[in-house]
Amino acid sequence: MRINRTLLATALVVVALVIQVSVLARLQLPGAVPDLLLLTVLGLAFVYGPVSGSLIGFGAGLLADLAPPADHAAGRYALVLCVIGYLAGLVRPENGQLKSAFAPMAAVVAAAIGSTLLYAGVGALVGDTAARHVGLGSLLFTAAVYDLLLAPFTVPLIMALARRTENDPIAEASSGSNDVAAGWLASGTGLRIGNQRGGLRAKAARNRAARAGRIKGVKRL
């Protein structure tokens, strides 16, 4: 990934994980916990594509696996978010810009349900049966509802930030400032900055032609 992508993704994932662990996990809502980390991966994958989405998902999931109070095997959630990030990148909007709210909201619901099922499935393979005691149906419903309610406040903002890194706003701002400076110089001095040499040469040629015309006129007289 590019450096600007890596820096932005790292910052957003760390912030999302801190909020996830320190705020959302302490709300004690019935059923599942709102998954801000999942929404962050979705927003970035919608702009960056499947490869970057899978890498970001793996890194975010691995941090969640290692962050306290983790009570499951390391790498379990990393696998889940890696798959979700890759699939979300495959259905990203054209140019990373949303044209309607239906498609991304449907993707959020599918990701919430898919990540819960995949997490429970991987847990069953390693002997973790916690989902059975809580109730898988309740987890699926509450995960979809919570993530769907949280998505309008997070996914568009994350996508907007990701698009800014893709458009390289620093270079654009620098280019814009150069254009403003050039325009200010041109208006203040009357010189054409880009074609200054060409303008001076043309002016000198016109002066020579006018001088030659005056000389010929004198000789004729």
Side-chain angles (χ1 to χ4, degrees):
M1 293 190 296
R2 300 176 184 174
I3 296 179
N4 51 359
R5 286 188 181 186
T6 304
L7 293 177
L8 177 65
T10 302
L12 291 177
V13 165
V14 170
V15 171
L17 182 60
V18 171
I19 297 175
Q20 180 87 27
V21 173
S22 61
V23 178
L24 298 179
R26 299 175 183 268
L27 295 179
Q28 296 182 351
L29 297 173
V33 176
D35 199 340
L36 182 60
L37 202 59
L38 172 66
L39 298 178
T40 302
V41 172
L42 288 178
L44 294 173
F46 284 156
V47 178
Y48 294 154
V51 176
S52 296
S54 61
L55 293 176
I56 294 171
F58 180 81
L62 189 59
L63 286 178
D65 288 331
L66 300 177
D71 56 353
H72 55 269
R76 181 174 168 186
Y77 200 47
L79 174 62
V80 172
L81 287 188
C82 180
V83 174
I84 295 298
Y86 180 80
L87 295 178
L90 292 178
V91 296
R92 65 173 177 171
E94 184 178 359
N95 296 327
Q97 297 182 353
L98 298 177
K99 296 182 179 179
S100 66
F102 176 77
M105 292 300 103
V108 167
V109 174
I113 296 176
S115 62
T116 304
L117 288 174
L118 185 57
Y119 186 83
V122 175
L125 292 177
V126 297
D128 185 359
T129 59
R132 297 179 182 177
H133 301 292
V134 177
L136 185 58
S138 175
L139 284 177
L140 293 175
F141 177 75
T142 54
V145 171
Y146 295 155
D147 291 350
L148 189 60
L149 293 176
L150 189 59
F153 304 100
T154 56
V155 175
L157 177 61
I158 293 171
M159 293 183 65
L161 292 174
R163 285 197 301 269
R164 286 180 64 86
T165 61
E166 288 294 276
N167 296 331
D168 197 3
I170 297 178
E172 291 180 358
S174 176
S175 176
S177 63
N178 290 337
D179 292 339
V180 171
W184 181 78
L185 288 173
S187 61
T189 61
L191 298 177
R192 291 173 294 179
I193 303 301
N195 298 321
Q196 183 177 5
R197 293 183 178 179
L200 293 176
R201 290 176 180 176
K203 185 176 181 180
R206 288 195 299 269
N207 291 337
R208 287 196 298 269
R211 192 180 305 109
R214 287 196 298 269
I215 293 173
K216 290 181 179 179
V218 173
K219 288 182 177 181
R220 289 178 182 178
L221 292 175

